[in-house]
Each structure stands twice: as C-alpha cells, then as structure tokens.
Amino acid sequence: MYWQRGSSTVFVTGTVTCLHCGYVCGQWAGRAGAPLIAAGLRNTRPPDPTAPICCGRCQGPVFLDGATAVRSTARLQRIARLRRQIAEMDARGPGRAA
Ligand SMILES: [Zn+2]
C-alpha cells in the first residue's frame, strides 16, 4: 500500500461504489488498506458495523472510488464529530417532522 508511510497510520476517504452497477453506497472513511466495512460508511447506521459493505441495489462487490489520504487528524476529528451529530439527529426520532 503506497498510502502507508513508515509506521504512521494514514486515513483515507472516498466514495464506495458498486463494481457491477455503479451504485453509490456512500462516503467512506477509514484506515488505508483496511477492509471496506459498514462502520466506515457515513450517514449510515448499519445493523452490523463489522460487516463488509456490498451494493445496496445488486449486492455486488464495492470499491473505494477517488480515495484520498487524510493526513490531518483535525479533519478526521471533524468527520467523527459530524458523524456523531448525525447519529444524535437520527436518535431523536423517525422522520423529519419538526
Ligand atoms: Zn450494484
């Protein structure tokens, strides 16, 4: 993996896309070289976070499209904070009723 430099951990973000039908599953963030598991998906609350991601339309295999390295941990912390906020919004109740 050319993302990895020395022993430091490099994080990447990209778009999880279906290899078969091109369906976009969502934005993914995680460690470079790590398997694409559901826990890394943003805006998603999977029943099993450790399950490998497969296409939501055809169940086909997915790949990380346009993966970019996240070198700044500040950006990663912002992503984590956003995910937490989204989870809190989801926890408030079903639907988008005001
Ligand atoms: Zn598909």
Side-chain angles (χ1 to χ4, degrees), residues 5 7 10 21 26 31 38 40 42 45 52 62 65 68 75 77 80 82 88 96:
R5 224 173 37 176
S7 58
V10 176
C21 71
R31 225 171 34 200
R42 294 167 66 186
R45 308 187 71 199
V62 295
D65 194 22
T68 48
R75 180 155 172 221
Q77 279 164 5
L82 278 170
E88 278 165 15
R96 291 209 173 103

Side-chain angles (χ1 to χ4, degrees), residues 8-97:
S8 63
T9 306
V10 176
F11 287 85
V12 292
T13 60
T15 307
V16 175
T17 309
C18 178
L19 215 54
H20 284 174
C21 71
Y23 178 78
V24 172
C25 301
Q27 288 295 116
W28 188 89
R31 225 171 34 200
L36 294 175
I37 56 168
L41 267 183
R42 294 167 66 186
N43 308 336
T44 312
R45 308 187 71 199
D48 181 6
T50 61
I53 302 164
C54 59
C55 176
R57 194 156 66 181
C58 75
Q59 303 298 306
V62 295
F63 70 102
L64 197 60
D65 194 22
T68 48
V70 183
R71 288 202 173 82
S72 139
T73 49
R75 180 155 172 221
L76 207 71
Q77 279 164 5
R78 213 180 78 208
I79 290 170
R81 198 169 59 231
L82 278 170
R83 286 176 67 177
R84 222 166 32 236
Q85 282 169 358
I86 289 162
E88 278 165 15
M89 265 154 53
D90 285 353
R92 270 179 209 153
R96 291 209 173 103

